[in-house]
Amino acid sequence: MFKIAVTGKGGVGKTTLAGTLSRMFARDSYDSLAIDADSDMNLASSIGIKNPPKPLTEYKNLIEERTGEIGGVFKYNPKVDDVVERFGVIGPDGVKMLIMGTVERGGSGCMCPASSFLRAFLRHVILKENTAVILDMEAGIEHLGRGTTRGIDLMIIVVEPGMRSIETASRIKKLSQDIGIKNIAAVVNKGPSKSVKPYLDKFEIPLLGEIPYDPQMVNADLEGLAPIDYGGESVNAIENIKDQVLKMIKHSK
Amino acid sequence: MFKIAVTGKGGVGKTTLAGTLSRMFARDSYDSLAIDADSDMNLASSIGIKNPPKPLTEYKNLIEERTGEIGGVFKYNPKVDDVVERFGVIGPDGVKMLIMGTVERGGSGCMCPASSFLRAFLRHVILKENTAVILDMEAGIEHLGRGTTRGIDLMIIVVEPGMRSIETASRIKKLSQDIGIKNIAAVVNKGPSKSVKPYLDKFEIPLLGEIPYDPQMVNADLEGLAPIDYGGESVNAIENIKDQVLKMIKHSK
């Protein structure tokens, strides 16, 4: 059983990686649970789910209940299957999916209650032995201020060629360590890792692998297909990254 | 005097557009004030500022003071020059710059206090007749839940070819209307607007212009140069967009 979060600057390819990994874990016979933790939700389409579940924020009573005394209501330790049955959907290859929340109305407030809920959920939910939880985080670093991912087994930081996503990576590394995350590693997306590698070395972020720039991914997106169902070079690259992820997690346990 | 916010899905090019527009307004003899409202800050480099100011969140007392009674402390209506002198820097072409805030330590909390501060600042600060304020917003939609941009004159939504950034655009349009923003328009970045235009029409989002895909922008980023100082096709395109922005704002006043 393990929990992974996928983070990085906006637009680097977090959702593509998270959605594709969740499908690959499911095919590897893990009980795969994918959680969209970005209020600007789009994980469902990258998994290949046409009818995404309602965000947990829409269950008003649920959220208020839980965040009044965070974790308190989780005393009975819900089973993941119950939670998914009530609030989630099951997608291709049996991937289970939950959506944390969204902004329903301009001016209606921040994502703090939803984030608190997710943090408590991750701490209290009972997962089966062979469960793989994949969290697709919001762009940037605010979730690390909130500590949403405290207690996860691996933080994957997606970077792309260019200084800005590398700066974000160095911030994420530092903030992740602040909340006690031990395994932090990078994936380079949209191009060779050559220009990026020296910076990752400097920040002591190990490299899990690289995904080549693949213009087909734009077509997959426009056609509304999940990358894994569209196929191509970048999906093959993610297959290798998945193996590295499993190796890293086994090694650390 | 006008206030513009640049929004959109992560990675679509918000910061490049915001930074370049702020330089162009300054060259047009506006008093140009650029504000980085993304906790994962990188507006400074796109303006060409090497030594960014300290984020406002680091002035602990200031923020707590202000958010205890939002706006209350702004009774004396600070002049923008005083605020910039105390907390900002002046960059190339005389662009003034402020940074809202960042996450200093993992687990230290959300960006709500900093967002409240910025919202109050925008409402109370006294701007000269010919001031152009450009806000570079965080990726996604949480800032619209918070209503940070309430009262601005134009919301620019940056999109790129692909369904995901268009979905984000439709969410931003709806949430912006919720908080009373009347002028909402799109810029298509990284490619022709052809595949995107039908969706913008469907969501009734007028198009300000398009910025071609320009691989030189990656080089500018790697070399640490502001796009406007690097030049190229995309900078020329932004020059046209700037004219459209000014037209739209004049038309609406």
Side-chain angles (χ1 to χ4, degrees):
Chain A
M1 191 268 282
F2 58 87
K3 296 170 195 160
I4 294 173
V6 183
T7 57
K9 186 186 167 302
V12 290
K14 288 181 292 297
T15 303
T16 300
L17 181 64
T20 307
L21 281 178
S22 74
R23 289 281 299 272
M24 289 176 176
F25 288 135
R27 289 183 178 181
D28 273 7
S29 76
Y30 281 91
D31 199 9
S32 182
L33 172 63
I35 303 177
D36 196 342
D38 182 0
S39 60
D40 189 19
M41 319 154 288
N42 50 37
L43 180 59
S45 64
S46 86
I47 299 172
I49 290 174
K50 301 281 176 211
N51 299 304
K54 278 213 306 194
L56 295 173
T57 38
E58 291 195 18
Y59 301 91
K60 283 293 173 216
N61 297 336
L62 181 85
I63 296 274
E64 278 156 30
E65 234 177 84
R66 256 73 172 173
T67 51
E69 31 162 347
I70 294 168
V73 197
F74 286 104
K75 265 189 300 208
Y76 61 87
N77 291 1
K79 286 181 187 151
V80 69
D81 289 346
D82 299 343
V83 176
V84 172
E85 197 177 305
R86 282 183 64 192
F87 311 116
V89 295
I90 297 182
D93 296 323
V95 172
K96 292 166 179 166
M97 195 208 171
L98 294 170
I99 294 183
M100 183 183 72
T102 191
V103 178
E104 286 163 60
R105 222 180 57 253
S108 63
C110 58
M111 295 303 296
C112 292
S115 302
S116 298
F117 176 84
L118 179 59
R119 195 170 55 223
F121 173 79
L122 289 172
R123 205 175 303 164
H124 289 84
V125 68
I126 296 180
L127 300 170
K128 287 183 226 156
E129 187 65 27
N130 66 335
T131 302
V133 180
I134 301 98
L135 295 157
D136 183 28
M137 304 308 297
E138 67 186 51
I141 58 174
E142 186 172 6
H143 62 86
L144 287 157
R146 288 166 165 151
T148 319
T149 52
R150 212 181 277 273
I152 60 158
D153 299 287
L154 171 63
M155 177 72 87
I156 299 178
I157 312 172
V158 186
V159 296
E160 61 183 13
M163 283 314 296
R164 293 191 199 159
S165 75
I166 295 166
E167 275 169 33
T168 302
S170 76
R171 287 175 193 154
I172 291 173
K173 158 110 200 239
K174 191 248 158 211
L175 297 169
S176 298
Q177 288 177 319
D178 288 346
I179 60 170
I181 296 171
K182 289 196 183 68
N183 287 309
I184 303 162
V187 164
V188 177
N189 190 22
K190 297 186 215 172
S193 56
K194 206 177 54 186
S195 65
V196 175
K197 189 68 170 60
Y199 296 100
L200 294 176
D201 290 345
K202 179 179 154 201
F203 298 125
E204 298 181 10
I205 305 174
L207 185 61
L208 284 165
E210 65 184 62
I211 306 169
Y213 176 68
D214 184 355
Q216 290 198 318
M217 285 299 101
V218 176
N219 297 334
D221 180 21
L222 280 169
E223 291 178 29
L225 277 173
I228 198 171
D229 295 323
Y230 200 87
E233 247 190 301
S234 56
V235 174
N236 299 338
I238 297 175
E239 189 76 42
N240 290 328
I241 289 164
K242 188 245 334 170
D243 294 336
Q244 293 306 312
V245 165
L246 292 175
K247 237 185 243 175
M248 192 171 205
I249 285 171
K250 268 179 199 146
H251 188 77
S252 72
K253 292 232 166 174
Chain B
M1 193 267 282
F2 58 87
K3 296 172 195 160
I4 294 172
V6 183
T7 57
K9 186 185 167 304
V12 290
K14 287 181 292 296
T15 304
T16 299
L17 180 65
T20 307
L21 281 178
S22 73
R23 289 282 299 273
M24 288 174 175
F25 289 134
R27 288 182 179 180
D28 272 6
S29 75
Y30 281 92
D31 199 11
S32 181
L33 172 63
I35 302 179
D36 195 342
D38 182 359
S39 61
D40 189 19
M41 318 153 288
N42 51 37
L43 180 59
S45 64
S46 86
I47 299 172
I49 290 174
K50 301 282 177 210
N51 299 304
K54 279 211 306 191
L56 296 173
T57 39
E58 292 195 17
Y59 301 91
K60 283 294 172 215
N61 297 335
L62 181 85
I63 297 274
E64 278 156 29
E65 232 179 82
R66 256 73 170 175
T67 50
E69 31 162 345
I70 295 169
V73 198
F74 285 103
K75 266 188 299 207
Y76 60 86
N77 291 0
K79 286 182 186 150
V80 69
D81 289 346
D82 299 342
V83 176
V84 172
E85 197 177 303
R86 280 183 65 192
F87 312 117
V89 295
I90 297 181
D93 296 324
V95 173
K96 292 166 181 168
M97 193 209 172
L98 295 171
I99 295 183
M100 183 184 72
T102 190
V103 179
E104 287 165 58
R105 223 180 57 251
S108 62
C110 59
M111 296 303 296
C112 292
S115 303
S116 297
F117 176 84
L118 179 59
R119 194 171 56 224
F121 173 80
L122 289 172
R123 203 174 307 164
H124 289 84
V125 69
I126 295 180
L127 300 169
K128 286 182 225 156
E129 187 64 26
N130 66 334
T131 303
V133 179
I134 302 98
L135 294 158
D136 183 28
M137 303 309 295
E138 67 186 52
I141 58 174
E142 186 172 5
H143 62 87
L144 287 157
R146 287 166 165 151
T148 318
T149 52
R150 212 182 277 272
I152 60 159
D153 300 288
L154 171 63
M155 177 72 88
I156 299 178
I157 312 174
V158 186
V159 296
E160 61 184 14
M163 283 313 296
R164 293 193 198 156
S165 75
I166 295 166
E167 275 170 33
T168 302
S170 77
R171 287 174 192 153
I172 290 173
K173 159 109 201 241
K174 190 245 159 214
L175 297 169
S176 298
Q177 288 177 319
D178 288 345
I179 60 170
I181 297 171
K182 290 197 182 68
N183 287 309
I184 303 164
V187 165
V188 176
N189 190 21
K190 299 186 213 171
S193 57
K194 206 177 53 184
S195 65
V196 176
K197 189 69 172 59
Y199 296 99
L200 295 176
D201 291 345
K202 180 179 154 202
F203 298 124
E204 298 179 11
I205 306 174
L207 184 61
L208 284 165
E210 65 184 61
I211 307 170
Y213 176 69
D214 184 356
Q216 291 198 318
M217 285 298 101
V218 176
N219 297 334
D221 181 21
L222 279 169
E223 291 177 29
L225 277 173
I228 199 171
D229 295 323
Y230 200 87
E233 248 190 302
S234 57
V235 174
N236 298 339
I238 296 175
E239 189 76 40
N240 291 330
I241 289 164
K242 188 244 335 170
D243 294 336
Q244 293 307 311
V245 166
L246 291 175
K247 238 184 242 173
M248 191 170 206
I249 285 172
K250 266 178 202 147
H251 187 76
S252 71
K253 292 230 166 177

